[in-house]
């Protein structure tokens, strides 16, 4: 970073571009593993690599030419603390959809750190059938809070905000809601974004996420067939 005068994001872009120009190194490393080994490649979290520039897509295309195409799945991880804030959750859904379209791989969305968030709040969001439904819940709560602020207080009888301030806040909220509702409609129209909650303190939760990933690429199905063949031989 100091030598090239780059910031954190610029340095990451430089490193990924360097990797793209030296893919023979990655191929040599991957060839060290057996065909039936399970590989997890932890990629950088900067969203630009998946939505703004084609670097990760180029890496994936190259790996497909090496024979990994039918066994790759992308796992998009979103922090579960976003669940506590509906606008952030909708934003995370839109980013997930963007990455899904850009990478063109089988895709699994995971809500991480669920052990740090109230389970009821997580289920409250995940139970929403559409993004618009989730946003309407948020909007209803915001209207109630605004009404409470405009009522006379118990201390001095004066409202926290004036009638004019309430009108201005309502007008601004309505204006912003048009954009939010349009974004929610975009997510709903695709009907492709869903999340699997992950609680690292719960072994069943980890198995549940892993089973989703395995099912996406049908990992292990050939092993089941081999096991059935062995059982048939023993029965004979």
């Amino acid at each position: 970073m100091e030598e090239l005068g780059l910031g954190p994001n610029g340095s990451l872009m430089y490193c990924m571009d360097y990797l793209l120009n030296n893919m023979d190194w990655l191929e040599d490393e991957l060839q060290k593993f057996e065909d039936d080994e399970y590989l997890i490649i932890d990629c950088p979290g900067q969203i630009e690599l998946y939505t703004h520039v084609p670097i990760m897509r180029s890496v994936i295309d190259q790996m497909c030419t090496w024979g990994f195409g039918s066994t790759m799945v992308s796992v998009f991880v979103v922090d579960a603390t976003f669940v506590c804030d509906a606008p952030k959750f909708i934003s995370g859904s839109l980013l997930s959809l963007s990455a899904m379209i850009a990478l063109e791989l089988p895709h699994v969305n995971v809500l991480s750190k669920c052990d740090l968030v109230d389970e009821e709040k997580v289920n409250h969001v995940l139970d929403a059938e559409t993004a618009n439904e989730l946003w309407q819940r948020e909007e209803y709560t915001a209207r109630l809070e605004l009404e409470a602020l405009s009522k006379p207080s118990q201390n001095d009888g004066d409202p926290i905000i004036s009638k004019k301030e309430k009108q201005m806040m309502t007008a601004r909220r309505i204006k912003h809601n048009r954009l939010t509702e349009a974004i929610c409609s975009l997510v709903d129209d695709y009907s492709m974004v869903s999340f699997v909650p992950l609680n690292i303190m719960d072994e069943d939760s980890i198995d549940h996420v892993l089973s989703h990933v395995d099912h996406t690429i049908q990992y292990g199905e050939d092993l089941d067939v081999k096991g059935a063949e062995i059982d048939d031989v023993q029965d004979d």
Side-chain angles (χ1 to χ4, degrees):
M1 293 174 59
E2 295 180 359
E3 181 179 349
L4 298 177
L6 298 174
N9 288 339
S11 299
L12 179 60
M13 295 291 292
Y14 176 85
C15 291
M16 295 303 297
D17 189 58
Y18 183 84
L19 172 63
L20 194 59
N21 292 325
N22 296 273
M23 289 295 287
D24 53 336
W25 171 84
L26 179 60
E27 182 178 14
D28 291 340
E29 291 298 314
L30 293 176
Q31 294 301 330
K32 295 178 181 179
F33 297 94
E34 299 295 333
D35 292 340
D36 58 348
E37 290 194 75
Y38 201 109
L39 303 181
I40 299 177
I41 302 178
D42 186 14
C43 300
Q46 276 73 1
I47 193 63
E48 303 97 297
L49 297 174
Y50 312 94
T51 60
H52 295 68
V53 292
I55 291 180
M56 287 303 301
R57 175 59 188 273
S58 298
V59 173
I60 290 172
D61 289 343
Q62 186 63 57
M63 292 180 65
C64 288
T65 64
W66 299 336
F68 293 99
S70 62
T71 58
M72 286 194 296
V73 55
S74 63
V75 179
F76 191 84
V77 181
V78 177
D79 197 324
T81 54
F82 276 32
V83 169
C84 300
D85 187 12
K88 289 182 180 179
F89 183 79
I90 294 170
S91 175
S93 300
L94 189 61
L95 290 175
S96 171
L97 180 60
S98 300
M100 186 188 310
I101 295 174
L103 298 181
E104 294 187 2
L105 283 177
H107 195 89
V108 176
N109 298 307
V110 174
L111 274 180
S112 65
K113 302 181 182 178
C114 286
D115 53 303
L116 303 180
V117 181
D118 182 46
E119 184 177 357
E120 185 176 347
K121 292 183 178 180
V122 175
N123 293 333
H124 177 73
V125 172
L126 295 182
D127 288 343
E129 296 183 358
T130 65
N132 265 309
E133 178 186 341
L134 180 62
W135 176 248
Q136 291 304 321
R137 294 179 187 174
E138 182 77 8
E139 179 61 15
Y140 176 73
T141 302
R143 287 198 301 267
L144 293 180
E145 292 176 350
L146 186 60
E147 288 294 333
L149 292 174
S150 62
K151 292 180 179 180
S153 64
Q154 296 179 352
N155 296 329
D156 53 14
D158 294 327
I160 298 178
I161 60 174
S162 65
K163 183 177 180 181
K164 183 178 180 179
E165 289 175 327
K166 177 185 177 182
Q167 293 174 342
M168 293 176 59
M169 293 174 66
T170 300
R172 183 166 59 249
R173 191 180 71 248
I174 293 175
K175 180 179 179 180
H176 291 167
N177 282 355
R178 294 172 183 170
L179 176 60
T180 304
E181 290 172 357
I183 293 175
C184 291
S185 297
L186 175 63
V187 175
D188 291 340
D189 288 344
Y190 275 89
S191 299
M192 294 173 61
V193 179
S194 61
F195 290 89
V196 182
L198 172 62
N199 182 346
I200 62 172
M201 307 303 293
D202 185 353
E203 186 174 344
D204 291 337
S205 175
I206 298 174
D207 290 339
H208 184 58
V209 172
L210 186 59
S211 65
H212 267 74
V213 176
D214 291 347
H215 179 72
T216 302
I217 55 175
Q218 298 181 339
Y219 177 81
E221 290 194 0
D222 56 334
L223 300 179
D224 293 338
V225 173
K226 292 179 181 178
E229 292 175 350
I230 294 175
D231 291 340
D232 292 340
V233 172
Q234 291 177 346
D235 291 339
D236 294 339

